[in-house]
Amino acid sequence: MEISDLQIQGLKLIQPKIYKDGRGFFYESYRQQQYCAHGIEVPFVQDNVSFSQQGTIRALHYQSHPGQAKLVSCIQGKIFDVAVDIRPDSPTFGKWEALELDEESHRQLFIPIGFAHGFCVLSETALVQYKVSAPYDPKTECSLRWNDPDINILWPIQNPVLSPRDQISPYFKEVFHEVMGHRL
């Protein structure tokens, strides 16, 4: 398994070693000791699975307290996976990074606490699995507008399918106005 740092500090790309033969393939999707050796020392406590149609955007979600680290993989199909840095003290606050995850490469994206996360479905359908470091809590569930001009994510689709909540999520500057005011 290869684990490498991405441009925004804390984000990591995981590429498992895939063993293929006439029967199909095998790979380890998680080995705690190896992840810890690369700085991913997160006690994952919940696994989530999401199934979506092509053109769907699920974005940009995060838990305010205690936060959630995520380990995201696309088991079937292909997604454009996005992480937005919402750590006020980070030099990349408000910046985003994205990569494609798919059923062929079996790559994973590790997203530490302090990021909003979302993805769009590029294939006909997609089955996404992600581990999280804290249980889901509707009281601390938060989101940002998927098409926020201050974040300016270059989504590879137009006219997405969105949940009602994602259509009306607040803008970045509405949520982080105090932090943004100090940085201007």
Side-chain angles (χ1 to χ4, degrees), residues 127-140:
L127 187 62
V128 177
Q129 180 175 16
Y130 50 102
K131 295 181 169 300
V132 295
S133 63
Y136 169 76
D137 182 352
K139 294 179 194 129
T140 64

Side-chain angles (χ1 to χ4, degrees), residues 9 85-94 114 176 179-180 182-183:
Q9 184 181 14
D85 190 347
I86 58 171
R87 302 170 295 182
D89 296 331
S90 170
T92 53
F93 174 70
F176 295 102
V179 177
M180 291 178 74
H182 291 291
R183 293 209 174 183

Side-chain angles (χ1 to χ4, degrees), residues 101-116:
L101 302 178
D102 61 48
E103 65 187 53
E104 296 297 319
S105 69
H106 304 287
R107 299 187 317 170
Q108 300 173 325
L109 176 61
F110 172 73
I111 305 168
I113 291 172
F115 285 79

